[in-house]
């Protein structure tokens, strides 16, 4: 038994650790209380630096204490000599390195380092740049360090060309270094500017980047960093120049309804700094109020005029109607139309697409041949990597940018393929497929957005761009998989709406539809009278088919629904 080391039991070890933790906690709380006391008393001195340093060495994310240290340094700056300050700040830099070893992604530590470098008399920028290199070697995706590097580069006037080469060296070491790709994307528009290009980058420089990133995804097709950078190169795209500013999608005037409907490109809030002026035969109509589809003045792209009794559109004669949007008293857009004496209603799209898809610019068109070249490259990769989800998704986006009609079948097939390859994002791909279907339908209308639309049996999981369809009178969305009708109140002209055989559990979103007469919601998941409450604000609703919904199984619910919708012919049971 002699000479053997006594091994403590588990209970003894746990008790020893507990006592040690209690002791450290007492010291920690004691130091913290002393720091707060000194701050309250205005004692911003070197003792406060010492005490706060003890706490921050244990917990570098105590951001309040970093602020106390900043205030203390600023006070010391008033009374210390240049040499003393240099020594104090140098000591702070060494202390910060200790904190960063504990947590290399500590916001407070990196921000404090910026403060020190901006305030010390003789900062050593080259040492800081080397420090960044060391931290990025340890963790090449430490975005705190990348941010600090940008700070150093700007303050030290480091050559951006050198930084561009640095990003290349990091990418060469690891194509998966997304932070380096991101850094590169920030440098390109500065080093190779071209305002005439959609991405603001010279085309020759972009082509070199395409070649570089292609090497990346051909080397490692499953690495998402290359694909994300490739997506950035193609861009999120900009709409046609006249679509980037405020404009009207459509403009409708109705003598019968005594109203004007405006659908705008961008949201506005009438009554703040924005006003809508309505003119009739070159005279401003006063007493006109504007409300959105929710009968409020909150931000919206859809606005409807309401006229007081003594202010209305003339029932007879030719009309010249003009509408102006004013922001801060300045006109930002306008549109006008003429109604002949025999015309009761008139509507027209005010924003012409010029034969181009409204939605094909999801990716910026650097040049069509460039996108075509990328399409061929990705297709070539897919021949070798048939199940690569990144390649399939990129192929979809390229086809959508080039010609959504020509490639429609391939786009749909590839989205189905993505739903199988990437089951965790299956709902995203199904929604994206729904979005493309709706967009192709709107494009096919050829600017005639006041017609009947049939999108039944299209496997839609969501409905999109309802803000473009305020003039549609009949919409068939039956036999899809919609689970909500949020924002359908944009459909201000809808008379017949078919939502049979979907997955609806509520009709919230159908309120304030002034012309809705027939609503078919057969075979959905509506289970209570409350799920139909939105229909109470549809003044012209005459027919409602509820058959096949759970709510129809309860006779008590029938009476409650009839009480809610007294003037509506309601079908509770499907007739043979």
């Amino acid at each position: 038994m002699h000479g053997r080391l006594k091994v403590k039991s588990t209970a003894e070890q746990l008790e020893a650790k507990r006592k040690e933790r209690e002791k450290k906690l007492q010291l920690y709380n004691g130091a913290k209380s002393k720091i707060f006391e000194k701050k309250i008393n205005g004692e911003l001195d070197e003792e406060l630096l010492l005490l706060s340093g003890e706490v921050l060495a244990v917990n570098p994310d105590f951001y309040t204490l970093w602020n106390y240290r900043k205030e203390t340094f600023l006070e010391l700056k008033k009374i210390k000599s240049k040499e003393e300050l240099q020594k104090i700040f140098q000591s702070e830099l060494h202390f910060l390195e200790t904190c960063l070893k504990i947590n290399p992604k500590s916001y407070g530590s990196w921000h404090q380092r910026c403060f020190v470098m901006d305030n010390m008399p003789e900062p050593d920028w080259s040492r800081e740049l080397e420090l960044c290199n060391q931290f990025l070697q340890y963790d090449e995706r430490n975005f705190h360090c990348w941010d600090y590097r940008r700070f150093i580069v700007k303050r030290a006037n480091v050559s951006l060309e050198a930084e561009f080469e640095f990003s290349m060296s990091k990418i060469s070491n690891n194509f998966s270094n997304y932070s380096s790709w991101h850094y590169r994307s920030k440098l390109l528009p500065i080093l190779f500017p071209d305002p005439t290009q959609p991405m603001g980058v010279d085309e020759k420089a972009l082509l070199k980047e395409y070649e570089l990133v292609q090497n990346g995804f051909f080397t490692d097709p499953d690495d998402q960093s290359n694909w994300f950078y490739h997506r950035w190169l193609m861009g999120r795209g900009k709409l046609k120049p006249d679509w980037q500013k405020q404009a009207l999608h459509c403009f409708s005037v109705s003598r019968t309804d005594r109203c004007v409907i405006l659908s705008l490109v961008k949201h506005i809030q009438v009554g703040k700094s924005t006003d809508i002026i309505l003119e009739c035969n070159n005279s401003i109509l006063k007493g006109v109020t504007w409300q959105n589809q929710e009968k409020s003045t909150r931000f919206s792209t859809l606005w409807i005029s309401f006229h007081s009794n003594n202010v209305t559109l003339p029932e007879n004669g030719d009309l010249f109607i003009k509408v102006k949007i004013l922001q801060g008293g300045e006109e930002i857009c306008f549109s006008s139309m003429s109604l002949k004496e025999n015309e009761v209603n008139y509507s027209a799209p005010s924003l012409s697409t010029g034969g181009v898809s409204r939605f094909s610019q999801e990716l910026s068109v650097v040049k069509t041949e460039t996108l075509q070249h990328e399409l061929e490259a990705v297709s070539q990769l897919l021949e070798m990597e048939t199940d690569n989800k990144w390649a399939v998704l990129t192929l979809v986006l390229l086809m959508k940018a080039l010609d959504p009609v020509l490639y429609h079948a391939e786009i749909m097939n590839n989205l189905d393929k993505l739903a199988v390859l990437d089951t965790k994002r299956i709902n995203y791909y199904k929604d994206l497929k729904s979005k493309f279907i709706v967009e192709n339908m709107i494009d096919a209308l050829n600017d005639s957005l006041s017609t009947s639309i049939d999108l039944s049996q299209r496997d839609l999981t969501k409905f999109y761009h309802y803000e473009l369809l305020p003039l549609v009178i009949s919409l068939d969305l039956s036999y899809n998989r919609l689970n909500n009708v949020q924002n359908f109140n944009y459909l201000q002209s809808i008379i017949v709406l078919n939502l049979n055989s979907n997955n609806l559990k509520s009709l919230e979103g159908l309120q304030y539809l002034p012309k809705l007469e027939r609503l078919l919601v057969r075979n959905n998941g509506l289970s209570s009278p409350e799920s139909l409450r939105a229909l109470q604000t549809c003044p012209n609703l005459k027919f409602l088919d509820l058959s096949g919904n759970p709510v129809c199984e309860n006779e008590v619910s029938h009476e409650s629904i009839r009480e809610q919708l007294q003037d509506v012919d309601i079908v509770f049971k499907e007739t043979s």
Side-chain angles (χ1 to χ4, degrees), residues 341-357:
E341 185 172 4
N342 59 345
E343 289 181 311
V344 177
N345 304 302
Y346 189 82
S347 59
S350 297
L351 189 61
S352 175
T353 62
V356 178
S357 169

Side-chain angles (χ1 to χ4, degrees), residues 282-489:
N282 298 314
S283 296
I284 295 177
L285 286 179
K286 297 183 179 179
V288 177
T289 58
W290 294 88
Q291 293 182 342
N292 62 23
Q293 72 282 1
E294 296 178 345
K295 303 296 182 187
S296 74
T297 56
R298 289 181 292 186
F299 276 97
S300 178
T301 58
L302 186 70
W303 292 91
I304 306 146
S305 70
F306 291 87
H307 306 253
S308 59
N309 291 329
N310 58 342
V311 178
T312 186
L313 297 173
E315 295 182 5
N316 303 304
D318 294 344
L319 294 182
F320 176 73
I321 305 294
K322 183 176 181 179
V323 64
K324 296 189 291 187
I325 312 294
L326 305 181
Q327 200 163 62
E330 294 186 10
E331 182 180 302
I332 58 172
C333 78
F334 75 94
S335 187
S336 61
M337 68 168 64
S338 297
L339 272 76
K340 296 180 181 179
E341 185 172 4
N342 59 345
E343 289 181 311
V344 177
N345 304 302
Y346 189 82
S347 59
S350 297
L351 189 61
S352 175
T353 62
V356 178
S357 169
R358 293 171 181 265
F359 314 104
S360 65
Q361 306 287 328
E362 276 292 311
L363 304 177
S364 61
V365 182
V366 180
K367 274 191 175 179
T368 300
E369 54 263 37
T370 303
L371 294 182
Q372 189 67 48
H373 180 267
E374 292 305 302
L375 182 67
E376 292 169 4
V378 176
S379 298
Q380 183 182 350
L381 176 64
L382 265 175
E383 290 177 5
M384 300 178 286
E385 301 284 338
T386 55
D387 292 337
N388 185 280
K389 68 174 183 180
W390 298 107
V392 178
L393 180 58
T394 303
L395 197 70
V396 166
L397 297 174
L398 283 165
M399 288 177 172
K400 184 71 166 58
L402 284 164
D403 193 331
V405 176
L406 176 65
Y407 294 111
H408 176 75
E410 290 180 70
I411 290 172
M412 296 298 111
N413 289 335
N414 281 320
L415 286 171
D416 289 338
K417 183 177 180 180
L418 281 167
V420 175
L421 290 175
D422 189 10
T423 54
K424 289 183 178 179
R425 295 167 186 83
I426 185 171
N427 291 330
Y428 166 73
Y429 299 124
K430 289 180 178 179
D431 287 351
L432 191 60
K433 182 178 179 180
S434 300
K435 183 172 182 280
F436 289 171
I437 290 171
V438 173
E439 289 176 353
N440 283 353
M441 175 275 300
I442 292 176
D443 279 338
L445 292 175
N446 295 321
D447 291 337
S448 178
L449 302 181
S450 56
T451 185
S452 298
I453 295 174
D454 186 351
L455 282 171
S456 60
Q457 302 184 67
R458 303 298 291 273
D459 203 32
L460 300 181
T461 54
K462 287 187 71 175
F463 188 67
Y464 292 86
H465 303 302
Y466 28 71
E467 72 279 2
L468 297 178
L469 306 172
L471 308 179
V472 170
I473 58 174
S474 176
L475 178 60
D476 188 349
L477 291 169
S478 60
Y479 297 95
N480 283 297
R481 293 191 294 143
L482 302 177
N483 56 28
N484 72 77
V485 286
Q486 290 295 326
N487 296 314
F488 271 49
N489 49 15

Side-chain angles (χ1 to χ4, degrees), residues 178 181 213 216-218 220-234 377-378 381-382 388-395 398:
Y178 180 73
W181 289 114
V213 78
F217 60 62
F218 269 94
D220 186 359
D222 292 319
D223 179 62
Q224 61 183 1
S225 302
N226 303 297
W227 293 106
F228 283 160
Y229 187 64
H230 186 262
R231 177 77 176 273
W232 177 83
L233 287 174
M234 293 186 295
V378 176
L381 176 64
L382 265 175
N388 185 280
K389 68 174 183 180
W390 298 107
V392 178
L393 180 58
T394 303
L395 197 70
L398 283 165

Side-chain angles (χ1 to χ4, degrees), residues 242-248 263-268 274 300-301 325 327 332-334:
D242 57 335
W243 296 3
Q244 295 173 31
K245 54 189 178 182
Q246 185 61 280
L248 285 110
S263 176
L264 303 170
V265 170
K266 294 185 177 181
H267 288 73
I268 63 171
T274 305
S300 178
T301 58
I325 312 294
Q327 200 163 62
I332 58 172
C333 78
F334 75 94

Side-chain angles (χ1 to χ4, degrees), residues 527-545:
S527 59
S528 68
E530 288 72 26
S531 62
L532 309 175
R533 189 174 297 161
L535 301 182
Q536 291 178 304
T537 55
C538 298
N540 286 309
L541 185 63
K542 297 180 175 63
F543 178 81
L544 173 64
D545 187 349

